[in-house]
Amino acid sequence: IVLSEGYFSKNDYEHQVISNDPLAIFCGAKYDTDEIHCLEDLFCHRLISREQGSGTRAIFEHYLAEQGYSINNFQRKCDFTNLSLIIRMLISNRGISVLYKCVGSNLLEQGKLKEITIKDFSLTHDFNALWQKNSMYSYENTEFVSELKDFIK
C-alpha cells in the first residue's frame, strides 16, 4: 500500500480515498500581507515550495493552470525537498507557501504562522491509499485502509 497525495492513474491502481483535505496559503506570523488580496498579488512574493514532482506542488501548479497562470508567474521561487525546512523558512518570514491546512494548524494556533486569505481561493485534494490492481491482497488492503481511516478520524 502506498499513501499518496499526488495524481495517479485510477485505471492502473486500486485505491481508496482516506481523506479530502483543504490547502491554504501560509506565511510567517510577522510577514506583511496587507497588500495581498487576490492571486495576482502573490506573484511578487517569494514562493517556497516542494520540489518539482511532489504532490502538493503538482496540485498547486494544476490550480494555477486552471486560473491561467503557472508557477513561473512568481518572481522569486525556492524549492525544497524537506517540509521542515519549508516551515522554518515560513516562520522566519522568508516567503509564502501552499500547504495542507492540517500541516500548518498547530503552528497557526501557536502564533508562528498565519494563513493568507485571498479572493476565490479554494483548494482541496484527496489523500489516497493505492495498491496494485487485481492484487491477491485487495481484500486485506481494503480492510487495512478502513482501519486506517477510523484511526485518523
Side-chain angles (χ1 to χ4, degrees):
I1 293 179
V2 174
L3 300 179
S4 174
E5 65 170 322
Y7 295 104
F8 63 94
S9 172
K10 294 181 179 178
N11 293 326
D12 295 340
Y13 298 95
E14 290 186 52
H15 66 281
Q16 275 193 11
V17 174
I18 294 174
S19 64
N20 182 280
D21 294 326
L23 289 92
I25 306 163
F26 290 100
C27 63
K30 296 180 181 176
Y31 194 83
D32 183 11
T33 59
D34 291 342
E35 300 298 320
I36 301 175
H37 306 289
C38 63
L39 181 62
E40 292 83 2
D41 294 338
L42 298 174
F43 296 151
C44 63
H45 295 268
R46 177 184 292 122
L47 178 66
I48 304 167
S49 66
R50 293 291 308 265
E51 75 283 0
Q52 191 167 1
S54 76
T56 305
R57 179 175 173 144
I59 294 161
F60 186 53
E61 286 179 336
H62 184 78
Y63 170 81
L64 288 171
E66 287 177 338
Q67 309 307 311
Y69 299 107
S70 79
I71 206 136
N72 292 324
N73 285 98
F74 285 87
Q75 295 174 8
R76 296 176 289 159
K77 307 175 282 296
C78 50
D79 302 336
F80 297 99
T81 59
N82 185 311
L83 182 58
S84 296
L85 185 54
I86 292 171
I87 290 171
R88 285 198 312 252
M89 294 283 289
L90 292 175
I91 291 171
S92 298
N93 300 299
R94 303 286 173 107
I96 63 172
S97 189
V98 175
L99 304 169
Y100 282 96
K101 280 192 176 187
C102 62
V103 171
S105 62
N106 286 341
L107 295 168
L108 279 172
E109 291 173 12
Q110 295 170 14
K112 294 180 180 181
L113 291 182
K114 67 180 171 183
E115 184 177 341
I116 300 171
T117 55
I118 60 172
K119 182 181 165 193
D120 299 328
F121 182 81
S122 177
L123 187 56
T124 61
H125 195 76
D126 292 341
F127 276 100
N128 287 278
L130 12 143
W131 57 91
Q132 185 178 17
K133 195 166 203 127
N134 302 317
S135 167
M136 62 190 262
Y137 299 108
S138 288
Y139 176 78
E140 290 84 355
N141 290 342
T142 301
E143 290 296 308
F144 175 76
V145 171
S146 291
E147 289 177 25
L148 181 62
K149 288 161 84 172
D150 290 341
F151 177 75
I152 62 173
K153 282 185 181 177

